């Protein structure tokens, strides 16, 4: 199966879903879906690496912490990210995000994401073996 991401509607907010052959791949795709809420990920050059670490008591909370860590890095560094490398060991996530500072004219950001929520929060392995990681983000 090929890793991919998608959005789903939820009221006034937007759901992000990452699907992949591993938990790490699903988290990477969920992060890409997060970027795609803001702008077209293809417009973001993966030039500068940023390291992120987080841990949680289960995979669902780890997904929320992961996405909120990305949102924090976007807000405090004024950057967008388009490439993600995730490693998860014992519910501790270590990742590298690659991106660049926001250029409004080129990136054309559509919305600002306030945070990842527990709404529609699910991390599971589907019948076909693919990992799915999803939640709704507040825009």
């Amino acid at each position: 199966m090929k890793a991919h991401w998608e959005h789903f509607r939820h009221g006034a907010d937007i759901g992000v879903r990452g699907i992949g052959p591993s938990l790490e791949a699903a988290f990477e795709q969920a992060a890409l879906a997060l970027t795609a809420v803001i702008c077209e990920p293809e417009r973001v050059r993966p030039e500068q690496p940023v390291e992120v670490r987080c841990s949680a008591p289960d995979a669902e909370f780890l997904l929320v912490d992961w996405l909120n860590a990305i949102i924090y890095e976007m807000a405090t560094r004024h950057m967008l990210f388009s490439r993600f490398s995730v490693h998860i060991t014992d519910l501790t996530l270590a990742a590298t995000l690659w991106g660049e500072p926001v250029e409004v004219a080129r990136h054309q950001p559509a919305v600002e994401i306030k945070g990842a929520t527990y709404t529609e929060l699910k991390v599971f392995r589907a019948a076909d073996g693919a990992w799915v990681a999803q939640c709704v983000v507040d825009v």
Side-chain angles (χ1 to χ4, degrees):
M1 76 102 25
K2 184 178 178 191
H4 63 283
W5 60 267
E6 57 194 33
H7 292 146
F8 59 93
R9 285 243 158 251
H10 186 275
D13 294 318
I14 298 173
V16 297
R17 181 178 294 133
I19 302 163
S22 66
L23 181 61
E24 289 87 351
F27 274 47
E28 290 167 357
Q29 292 298 312
L32 203 51
L34 182 77
T35 296
V37 171
I38 301 166
C39 70
E40 294 177 27
E42 299 80 19
R43 293 179 185 220
V44 180
R45 297 181 191 127
E47 296 176 338
Q48 297 178 24
V50 173
E51 304 294 323
V52 169
R53 287 185 66 88
C54 51
S55 60
D58 62 39
E60 285 82 12
F61 285 119
L62 188 60
L63 176 64
V64 170
D65 286 354
W66 159 236
L67 295 178
N68 280 328
I70 297 168
I71 294 165
Y72 174 81
E73 296 297 336
M74 287 177 176
T76 59
R77 295 175 187 266
H78 306 287
M79 291 180 68
L80 292 168
F81 301 98
S82 61
R83 186 173 150 214
F84 306 90
S85 176
V86 172
H87 301 281
I88 299 172
T89 304
D90 296 330
L91 298 173
T92 296
L93 179 149
T96 304
L97 333 172
W98 285 271
E100 65 175 335
V102 174
E103 285 184 33
V104 174
R106 185 163 50 86
H107 295 128
Q108 300 177 355
V111 296
E112 180 177 344
I113 299 176
K114 298 173 190 160
T117 74
Y118 301 125
T119 305
E120 298 289 334
L121 176 60
K122 295 179 188 169
V123 175
F124 63 96
R125 200 156 193 186
D128 65 357
W131 282 93
V132 179
Q134 71 173 45
C135 74
V136 171
V137 295
D138 187 13
V139 293

